[in-house]
């Protein structure tokens, strides 16, 4: 780090899907213009001793799951939230990324901001909490901090040595979509299954998109026209209804621009204040807008369900709606095998509630209404294959199989010598063995060294992937001892937590460690990127 002698700066990020990393990198580029040379680093790589030796600390952190820190920041949070030295000398700023439809919106950023203040550090600017799209708020936050740093350095024109001329790369355009053709749309599981899982192939010809195994693709879907029509009917207006402050008519806004699948917290609050039913009012204020558990009153309800509960005007409802955001899907192909296309593995979300069909935004768009699609790449730099001779353990039940199909395609093409072990599970082998023939062929070819399966409904007692891990605990720990990297993909709420608990237990039992030592062992796996997760 350089610049004026009395300023040193650490820029760090805690990221889930790369947004926080991108914002932190952009910030680091911006301060180079005022003579401060720094690089954005993962929060887990920042030692508390470094904070004692620096003057300024700038953090961008996203919130994962139910208010948690992302994996790339958990170790730092664990360290700084324990007893530690004071930081009265430190100046800091936090940019928190999140999604306000979750109850603990931007919780990780809030916790870190409060902890730094409690340790005596001084805010350069107030924390900014970003809901969804982050580029513009991040740009404004960056500009504010650059002003503060410039003022703290004194007169920028006289005291800061000019940076050497460097050729700047073009600004990153992470979230700008391009149009691509949906070339393949087919059922992946059996139509006899009680789920609908489809395999998609998106033709990248002419898009300029190049990807790596482990990346995701963002699908910019439009809303279900039947839901749009039903909302228009509820409001008693036509699709051409003019909305004050918007150039496009209501029908286009509801179709392309507003989130009408998941009701916002602001809409729930508005409906709660207008309904004449006290029980309904209480229910509307009871939980997060993702509906909590399947037994909760809010579970699965969309905007139309909420609008029908109270006397609301179209304009005031629009004021509460959040922008329609893209949906991320892990890429299920390797560019070595499929350089001109990306494959996706998507479960279609469909269910009946209150006598009306409901569906996921992007999953039903892809399944029912899509011929071409707007997409952009979502690089996942932390979910990458190691060297070809390094063993890997992959845990991906259900649609979590997607990136591991990509990994296996890549290892097959590279004739990798490293061993590969896959834990896959779903409900029934006969109907839900996703890519079963391919996986068995990978095993027959030696690309897949071990394939352990857990089909939960094929016997009286349900069996899941974490149980298969426990059944093979000694071998699992041996692979870890021999340098294996562990990858997890799939459901964050239950599976990922159960797998994490199983991993800690295996390390403790087979490594002869107490809980604290096992926790430290797993933390080292996380820090060295030997235990990484792509969970949702």
């Amino acid at each position: 780090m350089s610049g004026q002698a009395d300023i040193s700066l650490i820029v760090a990020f805690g990221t889930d899907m790369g947004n926080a990393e991108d914002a932190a990198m952009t910030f680091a580029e911006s301060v180079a213009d005022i003579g401060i040379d720094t690089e954005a680093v993962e929060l887990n790589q920042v030692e508390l001793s470094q904070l004692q030796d620096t003057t300024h600390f700038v953090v961008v952190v996203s919130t994962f799951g139910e208010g948690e820190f992302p994996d790339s920041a958990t170790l730092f949070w664990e360290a700084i939230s324990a007893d530690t030295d004071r930081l009265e000398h430190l100046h800091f700023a936090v940019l928190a990324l999140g999604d306000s439809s979750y109850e603990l919106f931007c919780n990780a950023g809030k916790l870190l901001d409060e902890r730094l203040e409690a340790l005596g550090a001084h805010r350069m600017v107030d924390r900014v909490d970003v809901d969804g799209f982050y580029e513009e708020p991040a740009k404004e936050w960056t500009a504010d901090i650059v002003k503060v740093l410039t003022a703290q350095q004194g007169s920028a024109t006289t005291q800061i040595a000019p940076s050497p001329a460097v050729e700047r790369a073009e600004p990153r355009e992470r979230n700008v979509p391009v149009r691509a053709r949906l070339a393949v749309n087919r059922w992946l599981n059996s139509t006899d299954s009680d789920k609908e899982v489809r395999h998609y192939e998106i033709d990248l010809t002419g898009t300029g998109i190049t990807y790596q195994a482990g990346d995701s693709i963002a699908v910019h879907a439009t809303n279900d026209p039947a839901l749009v029509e039903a909302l228009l009917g509820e409001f008693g207006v036509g699709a051409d209804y003019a909305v004050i402050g918007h150039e496009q008519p209501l029908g286009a806004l509801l179709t392309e621009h507003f989130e009408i699948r998941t009701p916002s917290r602001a809409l729930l609050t508005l409906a709660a204040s207008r309904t004449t039913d006290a029980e309904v009012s209480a229910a509307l204020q009871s939980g997060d807008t993702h509906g909590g558990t399947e037994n909760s009153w809010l579970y699965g309800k969309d905007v139309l369900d909420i609008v029908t509960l109270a006397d609301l005007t179209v304009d005031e409802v629009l004021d509460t709606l959040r922008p329609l955001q893209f949906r991320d899907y892990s890429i299920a192909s390797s560019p070595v095998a499929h350089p001109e296309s990306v494959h996706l593995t998507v479960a279609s979300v469909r269910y009946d509630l209150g006598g009306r069909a409901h569906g996921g935004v992007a999953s039903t768009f892809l399944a029912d209404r899509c011929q071409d699609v707007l997409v952009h790449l979502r690089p996942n730099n932390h979910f990458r294959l190691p060297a070809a001779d390094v063993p890997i353990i992959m845990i991906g039940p259900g649609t979590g199989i997607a990136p591991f199909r990509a990994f296996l395609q890549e290892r097959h093409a590279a004739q990798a010598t490293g061993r590969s072990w896959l834990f896959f599970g779903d409900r029934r082998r006969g109907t839900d063995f996703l890519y079963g023939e391919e996986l068995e062929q990978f095993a027959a070819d030696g690309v897949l060294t071990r394939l352990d399966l857990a089909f939960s409904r094929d016997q009286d007692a349900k069996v899941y992937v974490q149980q298969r891990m426990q059944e093979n605990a000694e071998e699992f720990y041996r692979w870890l001892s021999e340098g294996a990297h562990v990858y997890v993909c799939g459901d964050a709420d239950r599976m990922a937590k159960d797998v994490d608990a199983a991993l800690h237990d295996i390390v403790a039992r087979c490594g002869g460690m107490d809980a604290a030592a096992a926790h430290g062992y797993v933390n080292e796996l996380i820090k060295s990127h030997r235990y990484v997760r792509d969970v949702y």
Side-chain angles (χ1 to χ4, degrees):
M1 302 169 197
S2 61
Q4 203 164 337
D6 60 349
I7 284 195
S8 57
L9 171 65
I10 293 176
V11 179
F13 59 85
T15 193
D16 180 27
M17 288 303 301
N19 290 343
E21 180 179 10
D22 182 66
M25 289 171 64
T26 302
F27 177 87
E29 292 168 0
S30 296
V31 295
D33 293 335
I34 61 169
I36 299 175
D37 184 17
T38 186
E39 291 185 0
V41 298
E42 188 179 282
L43 265 171
N44 281 351
Q45 304 304 319
V46 178
E47 301 290 342
L48 294 186
S49 59
Q50 293 176 270
L51 296 187
Q52 296 296 338
D53 297 330
T54 195
T55 61
H56 292 72
F57 184 41
V58 171
V59 182
V60 187
V61 63
S62 63
T63 294
F64 168 76
E66 298 302 320
E68 302 158 38
F69 280 79
D71 288 350
S72 56
T74 53
L75 307 188
F76 178 82
W77 173 244
E78 184 177 301
I80 201 169
S81 58
D83 290 338
T84 188
D85 294 335
R86 303 280 294 170
L87 296 170
E88 275 96 351
H89 67 286
L90 188 68
H91 298 264
F92 76 94
V94 174
L95 181 68
L97 307 187
D99 180 340
S100 64
S101 64
Y102 286 91
E103 186 173 8
L104 295 174
F105 170 58
C106 283
N107 189 57
K110 292 174 182 176
L111 289 174
L112 184 54
D113 181 72
E114 292 165 359
R115 181 58 178 160
L116 288 166
E117 180 185 43
L119 291 172
H122 308 279
R123 285 190 189 86
M124 287 184 278
V125 297
D126 289 339
R127 185 190 72 247
V128 173
D129 297 337
V130 179
D131 183 12
F133 297 110
Y134 66 95
E135 288 94 336
E136 285 304 315
K139 187 184 298 183
E140 295 174 9
W141 175 81
T142 294
D144 289 343
I145 299 175
V146 168
K147 290 177 185 175
V148 172
L149 289 171
T150 301
Q152 290 181 352
Q153 287 177 313
S155 171
T157 57
T158 60
Q159 296 192 22
I160 300 174
S163 299
V166 294
E167 187 160 331
R168 290 288 181 87
E170 288 295 314
R172 289 180 300 279
E173 297 284 357
R174 278 181 55 88
N175 297 334
V176 177
V178 295
R179 189 166 296 279
R181 181 175 65 93
L182 183 63
V184 174
N185 171 0
R186 64 175 172 84
W187 275 77
L188 184 57
N189 60 345
S190 167
T191 54
D192 294 331
S193 173
D194 49 11
K195 297 192 296 183
E196 175 188 334
V197 181
R198 291 176 180 259
H199 172 87
Y200 300 100
E201 298 180 15
I202 298 174
D203 184 358
L204 297 180
T205 304
T207 64
I209 291 176
T210 58
Y211 69 100
Q212 297 183 56
D215 285 342
S216 297
I217 204 82
V219 171
H220 295 248
T222 55
N223 285 312
D224 183 353
L227 179 57
V228 172
E229 194 64 31
L231 273 169
L232 292 172
E234 181 66 24
F235 291 133
V237 298
D240 58 353
Y241 177 84
V243 181
I244 297 173
H246 294 274
E247 294 181 1
Q248 292 182 288
L250 181 60
L253 293 174
L254 293 178
T255 300
E256 301 173 9
H257 298 286
F258 285 119
E259 174 67 60
I260 59 175
R261 169 64 188 84
T262 303
S264 67
R265 188 168 301 282
L267 176 59
L268 297 184
T269 300
L270 176 64
S273 71
R274 295 288 186 82
T275 181
T276 58
D277 189 320
E279 290 186 9
V280 168
S281 179
L284 287 167
Q285 299 176 72
S286 66
D288 71 52
T289 58
H290 286 259
T293 67
E294 294 185 18
N295 296 322
S296 69
W297 184 87
L298 276 174
Y299 186 80
K301 286 183 166 57
D302 59 23
V303 167
L304 179 59
D305 292 317
I306 305 304
V307 168
T308 58
L309 297 173
D311 185 14
L312 305 173
T313 68
V314 60
D315 293 283
E316 61 187 0
V317 169
L318 282 189
D319 286 342
T320 71
L321 298 184
R322 303 173 68 246
L324 179 60
Q325 297 190 45
F326 49 78
R327 267 57 172 178
D328 284 315
Y329 295 104
S330 300
I331 295 174
S333 55
S334 162
V336 179
H338 301 279
E340 294 299 325
S341 66
V342 293
H343 299 181
L344 305 180
T345 310
V346 181
S348 301
V349 177
R350 305 181 195 271
Y351 57 95
D352 289 328
L353 185 67
R356 181 170 62 83
H358 292 59
V361 176
S363 65
T364 60
F365 168 76
L366 288 169
D368 303 339
R369 307 187 300 279
C370 181
Q371 294 182 327
D372 55 51
V373 57
L374 289 171
V375 296
H376 73 263
L377 185 67
R378 299 273 280 169
N380 191 346
N381 296 320
H382 305 284
F383 204 82
R384 295 280 186 249
L385 277 168
D389 61 344
V390 175
I392 59 174
I393 300 173
M394 302 164 286
I395 304 159
T399 56
I401 187 62
F404 303 136
R405 180 177 184 258
F407 281 7
L408 291 168
Q409 287 181 357
E410 188 119 333
R411 285 213 147 180
H412 181 262
Q415 298 182 329
T417 57
R419 293 167 294 158
S420 302
W421 187 353
L422 173 65
F423 291 87
F424 173 77
D426 212 308
R427 293 185 179 178
R428 298 175 180 86
R429 181 172 185 140
T431 58
D432 305 305
F433 192 3
L434 308 183
Y435 302 112
E437 291 183 2
E438 291 183 39
L439 296 178
E440 289 176 334
Q441 189 61 53
F442 280 132
D445 292 343
V447 179
L448 191 53
T449 312
R450 288 198 58 163
L451 175 59
D452 280 80
L453 303 171
F455 293 102
S456 60
R457 312 291 174 85
D458 275 350
Q459 59 283 311
D460 293 336
K462 292 182 179 179
V463 177
Y464 298 104
V465 288
Q466 62 269 21
Q467 289 162 268
R468 295 293 186 232
M469 291 170 60
Q470 295 279 20
E471 291 168 2
N472 296 278
E474 294 288 347
E475 183 71 7
F476 196 106
Y477 184 71
R478 187 176 303 113
W479 280 50
L480 287 179
S481 301
E482 293 166 354
H485 288 223
V486 180
Y487 300 86
V488 182
C489 183
D491 172 57
D493 291 336
R494 293 182 292 271
M495 182 277 296
K497 292 177 182 177
D498 291 340
V499 165
D500 186 71
L503 175 60
H504 280 80
D505 182 67
I506 288 169
V507 168
R509 287 194 294 116
C510 301
M513 305 178 200
D514 61 19
H519 183 71
Y521 184 101
V522 174
N523 277 359
E524 281 302 311
L525 294 179
I526 294 170
K527 190 170 185 177
S528 61
H529 299 129
R530 286 182 54 205
Y531 173 33
V532 292
R533 305 191 299 175
D534 175 10
V535 296
Y536 38 83

